[in-house]
C-alpha cells in the first residue's frame, strides 16, 4: 500500500505534512487536475514529487528555470529518487542516453524546459507513457502575471498528447485574474484550487523611506557587517547600481559580487554558483538574480529601490529564510523610484495594469499598519491579527490629531500654485532662507515659517502620510510637484480631521542580540563544525551545500546532539538515503565534539598534534580521535600555518605545490579551491590543493 506519510519520512526525512500538501497529493493520485498556489518556500515540490513515486509511469515537470534543474535533480538524487532533466544544456549523447532511460521506465521524474518540450513532444516524448503533468511557475502562461513567457503558450498541447494524465499547475504568485487565466490557458479540467497561506512568519518586514544617501550607506553597512558570514541579496533597479553597490561593499571590507543580465552568461553562472556554495555572501543584483536559485539559507534581502509590484516583491523577499529560520528584509525607497518605474512602462501595452501595481506597491511602502496583512490581503487572504514581525507592529507609531499640521501644508501647496515638490514645501513651512525660495517669492506666502517647530525629517514623515491618506498627490509626470485632491478642500475647511503617526527615530537593533558576542555557545561551535564538514562534502560532490543538508537540519543536530542512529533519524530532513551516506560521520562529529572539552577550542588541534608527534599517521590519528581523515588533514594544515613543525610535504609533492602556485597566479592570487581545481583540469584533488595552499601561505 502506497503511503504518502511513509514516503515523506523515508525519502525526505520529514515527520509531517505542511498544510495542504497531503490533500494535494491525494487529489493528484486520484487522477484529478489542480492549481496549486503556495508562497516560495512553502513546499510545492513535495506535492508532485511524492505522487510521482506512487504512480506507475513518468512525471513530467515543465519549468522555465534551466539553471535550477540540475540542483533540483541533484537534491532528488541525494534523497534516493530517480530523476533527470532535459534542456538545451545537454549534449546529443546525454540526450539519447536520457531518452533511453525514459523508454525503459528508469526515471520517476523528468524536468524539462518549455523550449525543449516543444521539440520533444513532436518526437520521442509523445510515445512515452506519462502519469502526471506538472507545470511549474505556471503564472508564466498568463499576460496578467508578472513574468509572461511566450513559450508557455505551447504547453496546452500536452493535454492532447497525454489526455489521461492529470495536470498540476504550480505557482508562487497569482492574483485572481491570473489564476483564472492560468487554468484557461493550460486547459485545466474540472480542477481544484489549492491556495496555501502566504504567511511567512520568519521574514521580518521593514521599510525605510526617503533616507539621505550617506545615512543609508552607513545603515546598510552596519546591517551587513552585523551579519558577517550570512548570505544576503541586495536588489537594485539598474545594472549600474548593482556594480556601484558591489564596489561600495568591497571597498568597505565586505566581500561582494554583482550580477545582472548584461554580463556574459559564464560570468553570471560563476557568481550564482559561488553564492549557492557560500563562497561569497553578498550579491548586488537586478531582479534577474534569484529566479533560478533555490538556496535555503539566504538570511536577508535588501531592496535598494521600490519594486514594480507586490507579487515580485513578495517573491524576492521570499528567497530569504526558506529554511524557516528568522530572516530580515528591508525595503528602501524614495519618490524618484516611482518616476523611474512609471517611465519604464510608459510604452507598454499593459500600462494601466502596471501603473495600478506600482500604486499598490507604494501604498504598501507608505503604510503605517501591519505590513504583512497588507500583502496577504493583496493575495486575497484576510487576517485580523497583526503579524508582530514588521516594523509597524514592532514599533507601532503613536497617533495624534494632525489636522492643523495638514492645513498648514495644504495651504502652502495651494498658495504656491501647486508648483513645489516635497523638499521645497518643507523649506517653506520651516521658513528656510534659500535662494530658490526668494527667487520664487515663496517667503511671502502666508504659511512661510508656520511649521518651524518640526524638523525636516519630521515634516517628510508627515507629508508622506498625507500622500498616503490621499490628502495630497504627487504628480509623477510633473517634476514630482505636490497637488491638492478632492479631500484637501475638506481638510482645509475643517470638515475632515486627519490623524497622523508621530515621528520616531528608528531604534537601532540591539547589537548584543546579534553578532557582537565574542564567545560562541557550544551549539554554535558544533553548528560551525557541521557547516564546515558540509562545505567540504558539497565541494567534493560539486553540489550546493543545501543539497547535502539544509541549515535547519544542521541547526537541529547542533542543538539536540543525537547520540545514536535512532535519535539522528528523528531530525527533520534526515531521510533514509542521507542517513546511510552521512549518518555515521555525523554521529562521529557530534561525539567528538562532546568528548573534547569545548571551552578551549585550541585543544582539539593540540590533541591532533600530540598524536602526530607520537608518530601516528593520519589514518591512525583519525581512528584514535574518531574523526574523518579530512578533518585531521585540516587540523594539520592549520597547525602548520601556525608554525608547528608539521611536515605537509609528506602529503603533497613539491611538484603539485608548484602547480597550485602557478594556477593561483593565473587566477590573480585567488585562494578559493574550486577555481584552482578547475584551472588544473580537475586532476589534483581538493585535499591536496588545500594542503598546497597552506604550504604556500607558510612561504609567503
Ligand atoms: P517551493 O514551494 O519554493 O518550491 P520547496 O518545495 O523547495 O518550496 O520547499 C521549501 C523547503 O521546505 C524545502 O527545504 C523542503 O525540503 C522543505 N519542506 C517541504 N515540505 C516539508 C515538510 N512537510 N516538512 C518539513 N520541511 C518541508
Ligand atoms: Zn505586522
Amino acid at each position: 500500500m502506497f503511503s504518502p506519510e511513509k514516503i515523506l519520512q523515508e525519502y525526505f526525512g520529514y515527520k509531517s505534512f505542511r498544510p495542504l500538501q497531503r490533500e494535494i497529493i491525494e487529489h493528484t493520485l486520484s487522477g484529478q487536475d489542480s492549481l496549486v498556489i503556495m508562497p516560495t518556500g512553502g513546499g510545492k515540490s513535495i506535492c508532485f514529487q511524492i505522487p510521482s513515486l506512487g504512480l506507475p509511469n513518468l512525471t513530467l515537470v515543465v519549468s522555465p528555470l534551466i539553471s535550477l534543474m540540475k540542483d533540483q535533480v541533484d537534491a532528488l538524487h541525494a534523497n534516493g529518487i530517480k530523476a533527470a532533466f532535459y534542456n538545451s544544456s545537454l549534449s546529443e549523447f546525454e540526450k539519447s542516453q536520457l531518452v533511453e532511460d525514459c523508454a525503459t521506465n528508469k526515471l520517476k521524474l523528468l524536468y524539462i524546459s518549455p523550449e525543449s518540450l516543444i521539440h520533444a513532444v513532436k518526437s520521442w516524448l509523445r510515445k512515452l507513457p506519462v502519469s502526471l503533468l506538472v507545470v511549474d511557475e505556471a503564472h508564466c502562461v498568463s499576460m496578467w502575471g508578472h513574468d509572461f513567457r511566450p513559450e508557455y503558450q505551447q504547453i496546452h498541447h500536452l493535454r492532447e498528447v497525454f489526455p489521461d494524465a492529470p495536470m498540476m499547475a504550480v505557482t508562487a504568485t497569482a492574483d485572481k485574474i491570473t489564476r483564472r487565466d492560468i487554468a484557461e490557458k493550460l486547459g485545466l479540467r474540472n480542477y481544484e484550487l489549492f491556495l496555501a497561506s502566504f504567511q511567512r512568519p520568519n521574514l521580518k518586514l521593514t521599510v525605510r523611506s526617503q533616507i539621505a544617501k550617506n545615512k543609508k550607506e552607513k545603515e546598510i553597512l552596519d546591517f551587513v557587517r552585523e551579519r558577517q558570514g550570512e548570505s544576503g541579496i541586495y536588489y537594485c533597479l539598474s545594472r549600474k547600481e548593482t556594480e556601484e553597490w558591489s564596489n561600495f561593499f568591497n571597498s568597505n571590507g565586505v566581500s561582494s559580487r554583482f550580477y545582472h543580465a548584461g554580463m556574459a552568461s559564464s560570468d553570471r553562472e560563476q557568481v550564482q554558483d559561488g553564492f549557492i556554495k557560500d563562497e561569497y555572501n553578498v550579491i548586488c543584483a537586478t531582479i534577474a538574480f534569484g529566479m533560478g536559485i533555490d538556496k535555503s539559507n539566504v538570511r536577508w534581502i535588501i531592496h535598494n529601490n521600490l519594486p514594480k509590484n507586490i507579487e515580485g516583491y513578495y517573491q524576492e523577499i521570499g528567497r530569504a529564510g526558506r529554511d524557516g529560520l528568522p530572516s530580515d528584509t528591508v525595503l528602501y525607497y524614495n519618490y524618484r523610484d516611482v518616476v523611474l518605474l512609471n517611465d519604464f512602462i510608459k510604452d507598454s501595452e499593459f500600462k494601466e495594469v502596471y501603473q495600478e501595481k506600482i500604486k499598490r506597491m507604494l501604498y504598501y511602502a507608505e503604510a503605517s499598519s501591519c505590513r504583512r496583512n497588507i500583502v496577504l490581503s493583496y493575495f486575497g487572504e484576510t487576517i485580523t491579527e497583526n503579524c508582530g514581525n514588521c516594523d509597524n507592529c514592532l514599533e507601532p507609531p503613536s497617533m495624534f490629531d494632525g489636522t492643523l499640521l495638514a492645513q498648514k501644508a495644504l495651504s502652502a501647496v495651494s498658495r504656491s500654485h501647486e508648483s513645489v515638490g516635497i523638499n521645497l514645501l518643507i523649506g517653506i513651512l520651516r521658513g528656510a532662507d534659500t535662494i530658490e525660495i526668494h527667487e520664487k517669492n515663496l517667503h511671502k506666502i502666508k504659511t512661510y515659517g508656520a511649521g518651524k517647530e518640526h524638523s525636516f525629517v519630521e515634516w517628510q514623515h508627515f507629508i508622506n502620510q498625507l500622500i498616503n491618506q490621499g490628502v495630497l498627490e504627487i504628480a509623477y509626470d510633473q517634476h514630482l510637484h505636490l497637488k491638492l485632491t478632492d479631500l484637501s478642500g475638506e481638510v482645509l475647511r475643517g470638515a475632515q480631521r486627519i490623524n497622523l503617526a508621530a515621528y520616531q527615530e528608528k531604534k537601532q537593533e540591539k547589537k548584543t542580540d546579534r553578532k557582537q558576542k565574542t564567545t560562541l555557545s557550544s551549539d554554535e561551535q558544533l553548528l560551525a563544525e557541521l557547516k564546515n564538514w558540509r562545505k567540504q562534502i558539497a565541494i567534493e560532490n560539486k553540489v550546493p551545500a543545501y543539497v547535502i543538508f539544509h541549515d535547519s537540519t544542521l541547526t537541529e543536530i547542533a542543538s539536540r546532539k543525537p547520540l545514536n542512529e535512532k535519535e539522528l533519524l528523528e531530525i527533520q530532513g534526515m531521510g533514509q538515503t542521507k542517513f546511510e551516506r552521512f549518518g555515521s560521520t555525523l554521529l562521529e562529529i557530534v561525539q567528538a565534539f562532546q568528548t573534547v572539552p569545548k571551552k578551549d577550542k585550541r585543544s582539539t588541534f593540540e590533541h591532533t598534534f600530540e598524536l602526530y608527534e607520537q608518530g601516528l599517521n593520519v589514518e591512525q590519528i583519525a581512528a584514535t580521535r574518531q574523526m574523518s581523515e579530512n578533518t585531521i588533514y585540516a587540523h594539520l594544515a592549520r597547525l602548520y600555518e601556525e608554525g608547528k613543525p608539521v611536515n605537509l610535504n609528506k602529503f603533497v609533492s613539491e611538484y603539485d605545490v608548484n602547480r597550485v602556485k602557478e594556477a593561483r597566479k593565473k587566477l590573480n592570487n585567488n585562494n578559493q579551491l574550486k577555481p584552482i581545481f578547475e584551472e588544473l583540469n580537475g586532476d589534483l584533488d581538493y585535499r591536496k590543493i588545500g594542503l598546497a595552499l597552506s604550504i604556500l601561505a607558510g612561504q609567503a
Side-chain angles (χ1 to χ4, degrees), residues 672-687:
Q672 280 160 1
L673 296 178
K674 186 160 173 268
I676 296 177
F677 179 78
E678 279 166 4
E679 180 65 33
L680 295 173
N681 299 320
D683 60 31
L684 193 61
D685 64 35
Y686 280 102
R687 176 195 291 170

Side-chain angles (χ1 to χ4, degrees), residues 8 12-18 21 38-47 49 72 79 136 170 172 294 296 322-323 550 552 572-573:
L8 183 70
F12 297 92
Y14 298 134
K15 275 191 269 307
S16 55
F17 282 111
R18 290 191 183 152
Q21 284 180 328
M38 269 190 196
T40 312
K44 288 184 283 298
S45 320
I46 277 180
C47 297
Q49 286 167 350
Q72 281 171 328
N79 283 331
D136 203 359
V170 179
D294 178 6
S296 65
R322 294 173 75 138
D323 51 13
H550 288 298
S552 50
Q572 292 271 325

Side-chain angles (χ1 to χ4, degrees), residues 552-564:
S552 50
T553 303
L554 296 188
T555 307
E556 199 179 330
I557 294 178
S559 73
R560 292 175 51 170
K561 303 189 183 57
L563 288 174
N564 52 44

Side-chain angles (χ1 to χ4, degrees), residues 369-373 386-394:
S369 60
C370 175
R371 296 197 197 275
R372 189 173 328 259
N373 288 352
N386 286 347
C387 78
N389 198 20
C390 73
D391 47 1
N392 289 335
C393 281
L394 290 166

Side-chain angles (χ1 to χ4, degrees), residues 60 112 116-127 157-158 161-162:
L60 202 57
I112 190 164
S116 303
L117 177 74
I118 297 169
H119 297 290
V121 158
K122 287 188 188 133
S123 53
W124 59 276
L125 192 58
R126 69 181 314 124
K127 297 178 210 129
H157 291 311
L158 281 179
V161 182
F162 305 109

